[in-house]
Amino acid sequence: MFPGVRFTAIVVCLLSLATVVSLCRHPGAIAHAATAGVPAYAANGDLLPPRDYREWIYLTSGIDMSYAPKAMAMPDHSMFDNVFVNPAAWRSFMATGTWPDKTVLVLEVRGAKTKGSINQRGHFQDTEIMGFEVHVKDEARFPGKWAFFDFDSPEKNGALIPSGAPCYTCHAAHAAVDTTFVQFYPTLLPVAKAKGTLAAGYLKEEAAAGSK
């Protein structure tokens, strides 16, 4: 995927904030970047890489998260997951508590380092990107409205992850809002609660967890 390492979601995808392992391969042709935070596609259906995604709205970071009951232990390999969303979608969510058509969510995975400069404890993010995925809402294009794309790098086209992949069923079953893991986005979860847009499945899981 990226220099020497290839990752993708175990039960993921985006917003997976999960352990990332190989799931999909695709040709690595360099593409023109998508503009203005709107999803754009190559002739073969690949997603063009989102331009300037690090100038979008930052939502959250997770470290070594996994949704698997028995997560694979990787004591020597920690990772940060950083999530970004296009500004237009963020503004709409803040107003309505849900995502509009053409939402683009980016998952950027970086290694977690412990040794460097004056750091004596804890983790900081490496400069190398180890994984890159995009979750797109395009109602006219995808039967389920949403789709996941896996990228070899932020500069190359992303391949569509097939709709039968575990990430789709996981997000449908456990996501807090519109198949996205808003429960892990600290600035958006209160908005969804206030707007009454939290999914019934998520509320049931939270109630069950609270009763334990």
Side-chain angles (χ1 to χ4, degrees):
M1 187 177 213
F2 293 81
V5 190
R6 177 170 178 73
F7 295 92
T8 268
I10 282 183
V11 180
V12 254
C13 294
L14 195 70
L15 296 160
S16 118
L17 301 166
T19 303
V20 185
V21 294
S22 177
L23 178 68
C24 259
R25 263 312 265 174
H26 59 86
I30 295 178
H32 297 293
T35 60
V38 177
Y41 308 89
N44 66 351
D46 283 357
L47 182 69
L48 301 187
R51 186 177 67 182
D52 301 331
Y53 73 92
R54 274 201 154 260
E55 297 179 11
W56 292 4
I57 305 299
Y58 164 78
L59 295 181
T60 194
S61 292
I63 183 167
D64 293 341
M65 293 183 68
S66 175
Y67 307 142
K70 296 182 179 179
M72 180 174 58
M74 296 188 296
D76 299 323
H77 193 83
S78 292
M79 294 178 296
F80 280 96
D81 298 332
N82 303 312
V83 181
F84 305 86
V85 66
N86 54 322
W90 176 83
R91 288 191 294 268
S92 181
F93 191 100
M94 296 300 289
T96 66
T98 193
W99 299 112
D101 193 29
K102 310 305 181 186
T103 293
V104 182
L105 289 150
V106 173
L107 174 67
E108 174 199 79
V109 182
R110 293 180 183 264
K113 301 182 70 174
T114 58
K115 297 180 180 179
S117 186
I118 62 172
N119 188 58
Q120 300 297 314
R121 183 179 178 183
H123 299 78
F124 60 93
Q125 298 193 36
D126 197 1
T127 57
E128 180 181 348
I129 295 178
M130 302 172 65
F132 195 81
E133 293 179 5
V134 175
H135 194 190
V136 174
K137 186 174 186 179
D138 195 332
E139 298 180 1
R141 190 176 186 91
F142 306 115
K145 298 184 181 180
W146 289 88
F148 295 96
F149 288 83
D150 179 44
F151 289 71
D152 280 346
S153 85
E155 289 76 37
K156 297 180 179 179
N157 290 351
L160 176 66
I161 296 177
S163 59
C167 47
Y168 290 89
T169 53
C170 178
H171 279 249
H174 305 291
V177 178
D178 194 11
T179 76
T180 66
F181 288 142
V182 168
Q183 59 263 51
F184 301 130
Y185 307 157
T187 59
L188 297 189
L189 183 57
V191 176
K193 288 180 177 179
K195 301 291 184 182
T197 56
L198 292 172
Y202 165 74
L203 292 172
K204 184 178 180 180
E205 289 180 347
E206 286 295 287
S211 64
K212 294 180 180 179

